[in-house]
């Protein structure tokens, strides 16, 4: 069982949802995917076009009022087990848009977020660190381990 | 009594060819490893490290472990059986795939035509999947897949015709793969025959289209129509599509090897299997991986006009040359 | 037309240019704007950073006993713009090059830097004041003839009194002459 879940987490397919982001974080996500220097594909990741194929969801943007229902719907379409990563300060706290009249965020008011990657935008390595952390949480979830003490959950460089 | 015995032994060998070699297990493993190599080499061509070699296996295990969602508005029966359509088509097709020096498929029959009819099955499965998923993107993918299929089937038919006419001679055509292999053993591989060279190039150009590889991945364009027909598929059903694609890769490459480079080497069947695999790999690297690493996606009408202009013309040249040389 | 083949060949020969990041520490430029770090020794609590902060990541509040103030930087709201560093008059705020910011949801509300900076009880009346940091004072009163070490421990009103007293003494000596 352990080996099985070990293999399962080697293929985390990423899906990104833009919840009203300024596009900065999205560019950074595209950088992580496309530029040979970062190359997430060597971690087994692949950006997929359909929410139905996703394992790790990367959400950017402060969740604006207009996009809220669509984001929630798309998020619901993703098959279980999924891990949600909030990329950038906007989905985590609202960032510089906090308190705006059209901001419904932070995103964890609506969606159970698992990993936060703050930054405006976070650098690609930071996003990769977040994906690794999400992988770890996914593995724990597959093995039926309850979320452990936070000290154990920090990504340690192997 | 002996009839029954021969029937049983026939069906037993048939089952062996369907499940173990060259179909079933062998083709699945070989196809997935080929896909792994493809991704690795593509990454290297783009100065990346690339995923591990066994990544396609990991993907399959992952997909099998995921939840499978069936959309409420979809036609459930069609949606469930569409992946199986392509899968079974490819499984049957693989049982007929000759491995030169080891296995020759059906004896004395027009199995080349069977290949021509079975090869588009995964594409048809994708069309069924796209139209049954009741998603607008699926419908878009369906129409694109259909257009693309019409485009690349024309050169394929002409290539088959050229090879068959070259072998048949005297104005007739020979559609038995066994005969084609034997003809090439006597007269040299078609890959090195001048009159067949245009057909070979046409087949090389046909490969990326049929495998849905850039620049011809218009039907499953993940950035514009969200993977089109595969949009609604998840979990185990998506894994079936991946398996089908791996098997189709083996068939498309193996078919090309049989048609153009069926040479064998001295040694046991195992050596010949490795030789066959090496030729498939080389064909894949040239036709698919290079293509994938270097190009961006075409628009659907560009792909259509490309296929009807260049590969079709090249294949037609071979047909004419085969006709004239008699 | 076939220039791309040459390029691909070159790529293949040169090998991957990927950063071995998760296996090895990534290169960070020296002037990289990472997590905000405050030096509580230098902070005078002027709140210009709080005023400048676009995201509202900085919070400065007196503690319950009013014996000091709490300086909090919420990293999850900080846009790393560096405005606080730019406007800080005492150079108490710096941006480190630390970008290891990914954390789990449980840590979300702990992802902040808390500093508690004590007030000083005025040597004269006992009122709570934020003492001028000695380094800053040294720079400020470099040419002053008066010894400031004791004066800095007084609240503004006590300092006024002290100044008046000093003036008185100097006047007296003047008259005696």
């Amino acid at each position: 069982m352990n080996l099985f879940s070990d293999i399962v987490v080697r293929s985390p397919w990423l899906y990104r949802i833009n919840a009203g982001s300024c596009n900065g974080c999205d560019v950074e996500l595209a950088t992580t995917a496309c530029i040979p220097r970062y190359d997430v594909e060597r971690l087994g990741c692949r950006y997929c076009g359909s929410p139905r194929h996703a394992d790790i969801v990367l959400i950017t943007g402060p969740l604006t009022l207009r996009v809220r229902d669509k984001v929630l719907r798309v998020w619901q379409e993703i098959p279980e087990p999924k891990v949600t990563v909030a990329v950038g300060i906007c989905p985590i706290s609202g960032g510089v848009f906090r308190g705006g009249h059209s901001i419904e965020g932070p995103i964890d008011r609506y969606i159970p977020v698992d990993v936060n990657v703050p930054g405006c935008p976070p650098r690609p390595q930071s996003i990769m660190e977040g994906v690794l952390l999400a992988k770890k949480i996914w593995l724990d979830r597959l093995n039926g381990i309850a979320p452990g003490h936070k000290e154990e959950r920090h990504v340690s460089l192997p | 009594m002996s009839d029954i015995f021969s029937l049983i032994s026939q069906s037993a060998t048939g089952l062996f060819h369907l499940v173990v070699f060259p179909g079933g297990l062998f083709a699945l493993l070989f196809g997935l490893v080929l896909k792994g190599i493809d991704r690795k080499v593509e990454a290297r061509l783009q100065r990346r490290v690339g995923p591990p070699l066994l990544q396609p296996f990991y993907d399959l295990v992952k997909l099998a472990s995921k939840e499978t969602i069936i959309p409420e508005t979809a036609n459930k029966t069609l949606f469930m059986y569409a992946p199986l359509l392509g899968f079974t088509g490819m499984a049957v097709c693989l049982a007929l795939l000759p491995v030169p020096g080891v296995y020759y498929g059906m004896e004395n029959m027009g199995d080349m035509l069977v290949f021509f009819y079975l090869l588009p099955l995964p594409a048809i499965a994708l069309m069924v999947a796209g139209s049954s998923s009741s998603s607008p993107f699926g419908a878009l993918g369906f129409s694109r897949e259909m257009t693309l299929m019409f485009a690349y089937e024309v050169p394929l038919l002409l290539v088959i015709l050229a090879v068959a006419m070259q072998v048949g001679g005297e104005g007739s055509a020979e559609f038995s793969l066994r005969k084609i292999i034997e003809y090439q053993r006597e007269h040299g591989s078609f890959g090195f025959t001048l009159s067949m060279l245009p057909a070979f190039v046409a087949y090389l150009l046909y490969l990326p289209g049929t495998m849905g590889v850039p620049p011809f991945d218009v039907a499953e364009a993940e950035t514009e129509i969200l993977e089109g027909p595969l949009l609604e598929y998840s979990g185990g059903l998506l894994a079936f599509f991946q398996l089908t694609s791996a098997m189709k890769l083996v068939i498309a490459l193996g078919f090309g090897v049989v048609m153009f480079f069926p040479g064998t080497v001295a040694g046991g069947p195992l050596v010949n299997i490795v030789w066959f695999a090496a030729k498939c790999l080389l064909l894949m690297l040239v036709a698919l991986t290079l293509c994938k690493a270097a190009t961006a996606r075409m628009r659907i009408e560009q792909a259509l006009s490309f296929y009807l202009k260049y590969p079709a013309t090249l294949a037609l040249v071979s047909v004419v040359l085969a006709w004239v040389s008699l | 037309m076939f220039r791309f083949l040459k390029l691909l060949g070159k790529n293949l020969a040169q090998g991957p240019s990927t950063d071995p990041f998760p296996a090895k520490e990534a290169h960070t430029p020296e002037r990289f704007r990472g997590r905000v770090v405050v030096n509580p020794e230098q902070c005078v609590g002027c709140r210009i950073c709080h005023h400048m902060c676009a995201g509202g990541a900085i919070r400065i509040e007196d503690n319950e006993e009013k014996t000091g103030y709490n300086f909090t930087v919420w990293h999850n709201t900080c846009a790393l713009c560096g405005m606080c560093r730019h406007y800080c008059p005492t150079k108490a705020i710096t941006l480190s090059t630390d970008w290891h910011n990914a954390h789990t949801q449980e840590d979300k509300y702990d992802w902040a830097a808390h500093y508690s900076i004590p007030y000083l009880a005025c040597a004269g009346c006992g009122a709570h004041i934020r003492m001028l940091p000695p380094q800053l004072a040294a720079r400020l009163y470099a040419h002053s003839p008066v010894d400031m070490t004791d004066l800095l421990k007084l609240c503004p009103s006590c300092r006024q009194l002290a100044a008046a007293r000093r003036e008185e003494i100097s006047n007296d000596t003047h008259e005696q002459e």
Side-chain angles (χ1 to χ4, degrees):
Chain A
M1 199 61 203
N2 228 322
L3 181 75
F4 175 72
S5 37
D6 213 51
I7 289 175
V8 165
V9 294
R10 289 188 193 186
S11 139
W13 288 5
L14 311 177
Y15 181 69
R16 42 183 211 273
I17 301 178
N18 182 329
S21 157
C22 69
N23 219 33
C25 294
D26 299 83
V27 169
E28 222 57 27
L29 289 177
T31 306
T32 321
C34 299
I35 291 189
R37 185 165 168 190
Y38 307 120
D39 185 31
V40 278
E41 211 184 347
R42 83 199 129 109
L43 307 174
C45 300
R46 215 197 73 177
Y47 276 96
C48 49
S50 160
R52 294 255 198 252
H53 306 175
D55 304 305
I56 294 178
V57 206
L58 305 163
I59 303 185
T60 56
L63 194 67
T64 53
L65 189 60
R66 272 189 175 245
V67 88
R68 180 191 62 189
D69 295 345
K70 281 130 194 149
V71 167
L72 296 183
R73 215 177 121 194
V74 170
W75 189 82
Q76 292 287 346
E77 303 277 343
I78 297 165
E80 292 291 340
K82 60 192 160 200
V83 185
T84 314
V85 181
V87 176
I89 54 170
C90 294
I92 303 172
S93 64
V96 291
F97 302 110
R98 185 155 50 105
H101 64 274
S102 60
I103 303 300
E104 279 288 308
I107 220 136
D108 56 358
R109 271 172 71 192
Y110 295 96
I111 292 174
V113 174
D114 297 301
V115 177
N116 294 313
V117 186
C120 187
R123 76 182 296 200
Q125 284 96 338
S126 198
I127 294 173
M128 262 156 63
E129 218 171 42
V131 169
L132 287 176
L133 193 54
K135 236 167 113 173
K136 209 167 165 192
I137 289 176
W138 187 17
L139 183 65
D140 285 358
R141 217 165 269 174
L142 284 175
N143 287 335
I145 298 172
H149 192 256
K150 61 192 173 193
E151 259 65 55
E152 298 158 18
R153 299 190 137 264
H154 282 302
V155 179
S156 53
L157 301 170
Chain B
M1 207 53 187
S2 66
D3 280 359
I4 295 174
F5 272 127
S6 72
L7 197 71
I8 289 173
S9 77
Q10 259 182 21
S11 44
T13 47
L15 207 64
F16 177 78
H17 292 317
L18 188 68
V19 180
V20 186
F21 179 85
L25 273 176
F26 168 75
L28 277 181
L29 291 179
F30 182 42
L32 289 173
V33 169
L34 272 182
K35 287 213 149 194
I37 296 175
D38 175 43
R39 284 181 72 177
K40 193 85 192 169
V41 174
E42 186 205 355
R44 282 298 159 99
L45 285 173
Q46 296 173 341
R47 296 197 71 187
R48 293 186 286 125
V49 173
L53 207 60
L54 295 180
Q55 190 61 40
F57 292 95
Y58 301 154
D59 287 351
L60 276 180
V61 173
K62 191 276 305 279
L63 284 175
S65 79
K66 292 279 281 189
E67 181 189 9
T68 303
I69 299 174
I70 296 171
E72 254 173 43
T73 46
N75 183 328
K76 286 187 186 57
T77 328
L78 270 184
F79 189 83
M80 296 271 285
Y81 288 110
L84 277 181
L85 177 66
F87 184 78
T88 44
M90 286 298 99
V92 171
C93 199
L94 271 169
L96 305 177
L97 182 73
V99 178
V102 186
Y103 171 66
Y104 287 98
M106 285 192 291
E107 305 282 327
N108 303 322
M109 276 173 75
D111 44 359
M112 212 157 157
L113 289 178
V114 178
F115 268 80
F116 177 69
Y117 280 105
L118 287 181
L119 258 173
L121 264 183
I124 292 172
L126 272 181
M127 286 183 216
V128 173
S131 52
S132 68
S133 63
S134 83
S135 142
F137 292 112
L140 216 58
F142 163 60
S143 99
R144 285 183 176 197
E145 186 74 55
M146 182 98 106
T147 318
L148 196 64
M149 200 179 105
F150 278 125
Y152 64 66
E153 287 297 287
V154 175
L156 177 63
L157 184 59
L158 289 173
V159 166
I160 286 177
L161 203 62
V163 170
M165 281 172 70
Q166 180 82 8
V167 177
E170 318 245 321
S172 71
E174 180 56 66
F175 289 106
S176 163
L177 283 175
R178 174 162 210 156
K179 293 247 173 74
I180 288 167
I181 294 169
E182 276 163 6
Y183 180 89
Q184 293 186 56
R185 195 174 295 152
E186 283 167 30
H187 298 82
S189 295
F190 284 165
F192 306 119
T193 311
L194 204 61
S195 63
M196 284 295 114
L197 216 56
F200 176 57
V201 175
Y203 194 78
L204 281 185
L205 292 172
Y206 155 80
L207 279 174
T210 191
M211 290 314 301
V213 152
F216 305 113
D217 60 341
V218 267
E220 292 123 65
E222 76 274 8
T223 38
E224 40 184 306
I225 54 168
L226 314 180
E227 321 223 354
L230 296 179
L231 170 65
E232 294 290 350
Y233 280 91
S234 60
L237 292 177
L238 186 61
F240 259 109
F241 276 111
Q242 300 245 319
L243 281 178
T244 311
S245 157
M247 288 159 92
K248 190 181 175 184
L249 184 66
V250 174
I251 291 173
L253 294 173
F255 193 42
V257 166
V258 166
M259 275 200 299
F260 295 103
F261 299 103
T264 50
V265 283
L270 212 62
V271 181
N272 271 312
I273 292 175
V274 172
W275 180 233
F276 175 77
K279 283 188 286 188
C280 283
L281 178 66
L282 199 69
L283 196 62
M284 181 191 73
L285 291 180
V286 172
L288 299 177
T289 315
L290 264 183
C291 216
K292 222 172 157 181
T295 54
R297 193 177 302 128
M298 280 184 175
R299 285 200 308 273
I300 181 69
E301 82 274 9
Q302 285 173 329
L304 183 65
S305 68
F306 174 85
Y307 269 116
L308 295 185
K309 265 186 211 159
Y310 306 109
T313 318
L314 283 170
L316 203 61
V317 168
S318 269
V319 171
V320 171
L321 284 178
W323 181 268
V324 167
S325 71
L326 48 102
Chain C
M1 190 193 164
F2 289 102
R3 260 208 334 227
F4 74 93
L5 283 177
K6 207 174 132 195
L7 184 72
L8 289 179
K10 220 166 96 188
N11 282 351
L12 204 59
Q14 277 176 335
S17 65
T18 308
D19 235 20
F21 160 58
K24 248 165 82 184
E25 189 58 71
H27 168 72
T28 312
E30 243 170 69
R31 293 176 62 193
F32 185 83
R33 295 203 303 267
R35 215 176 289 163
V36 167
V37 174
V38 180
N39 179 2
E41 302 279 300
Q42 300 232 67
C43 176
V44 289
C46 66
R47 287 167 205 254
I48 188 76
C49 47
H50 172 256
H51 180 70
M52 289 312 303
C53 186
I58 291 175
R59 196 160 145 178
I60 298 173
E61 261 179 354
D62 281 351
N63 62 16
E64 278 170 22
E65 299 90 41
K66 311 264 179 205
T67 54
Y69 64 91
N70 293 330
F71 192 114
T72 314
V73 185
W74 294 97
H75 297 312
N76 277 338
T77 313
C78 171
L80 307 174
C81 61
M83 277 307 196
C84 45
R85 176 182 65 179
H86 182 76
Y87 282 97
C88 182
T90 62
K91 305 264 182 290
I93 297 181
T94 46
L95 263 60
S96 69
T97 52
D98 184 10
W99 47 268
H100 296 282
N101 265 331
H103 58 275
T104 51
Q105 178 68 10
E106 303 144 47
D107 294 348
K108 181 178 174 182
Y109 296 101
D110 297 334
W111 212 253
H114 299 278
Y115 304 92
S116 82
I117 297 161
Y119 285 137
L120 187 77
C122 169
C125 61
H128 292 306
I129 56 154
R130 172 73 185 125
M131 194 179 111
L132 199 61
Q135 290 140 306
L136 194 68
R139 232 173 62 216
L140 217 54
Y141 300 113
H143 304 297
S144 166
V146 189
D147 180 28
M148 296 304 288
T149 34
D150 288 335
L151 282 179
L152 284 176
K153 289 176 182 150
L154 297 176
C155 73
S157 44
C158 290
R159 223 181 295 166
Q160 270 179 351
L161 281 175
R165 218 165 281 140
R166 206 165 56 229
E167 205 67 6
E168 212 177 357
I169 292 166
S170 74
N171 284 351
D172 285 354
T173 47
H174 207 68
E175 275 167 25
Q176 279 170 9
E177 282 172 10

